[in-house]
Amino acid sequence: LDPAHLPISHDATPGGGKRENAQPLEMEVLSTSSSGVKGRFRNTRRTAKSGTPPWTALEVDAPGIVRYLTDFPEKGIHFGAALYCTPLTSRSSRLLFTTYFRFPKLLGLFIKLKLLKPLFLRHL
């Protein structure tokens, strides 16, 4: 759950982060229990274009599910991600990562057209 993971570890990878975007995050823990943690975080850098950064909701469900949800209501964009961790042995586990999103129709159409390439090229 390292917030610096994307901009640092995925620097210069296709669709990944950018090291120059690494920054302190404002974080809040909303609730804790024996079954998990709920909180939220956002960037501390404000931009002239977007103003105050949106909050990203974070839910950790024990033993191995992490969910993120970010909304941009003024743009009609909703983005989420989920990470599932399944232990395989005492020293290894399998990570499954999925994303989901909802965009305005015109932007959604553009993204669908962009994804019209062979499956083996989509990770590039």
Side-chain angles (χ1 to χ4, degrees), residues 4-71:
H5 175 79
L6 284 177
I8 301 297
S9 298
H10 296 275
D11 183 46
T13 60
K18 293 181 180 177
R19 188 174 292 268
E20 59 270 14
N21 289 343
Q23 61 186 287
L25 299 176
E26 182 178 354
M27 304 175 94
E28 294 180 357
V29 175
L30 303 175
S31 67
T32 61
S33 70
S34 60
S35 64
V37 176
K38 290 185 181 185
R40 63 185 191 164
F41 65 91
R42 67 178 172 187
N43 293 334
T44 54
R45 259 188 232 142
R46 301 186 194 294
T47 62
K49 186 176 175 183
S50 63
T52 304
W55 286 100
T56 297
L58 170 67
E59 294 181 13
V60 180
D61 294 327
I65 300 173
V66 180
R67 292 184 195 92
Y68 298 93
L69 176 64
T70 304
D71 287 321

Side-chain angles (χ1 to χ4, degrees), residues 103-110:
F103 293 107
K105 290 185 182 193
L106 186 58
L107 182 58
L109 178 62
F110 172 76

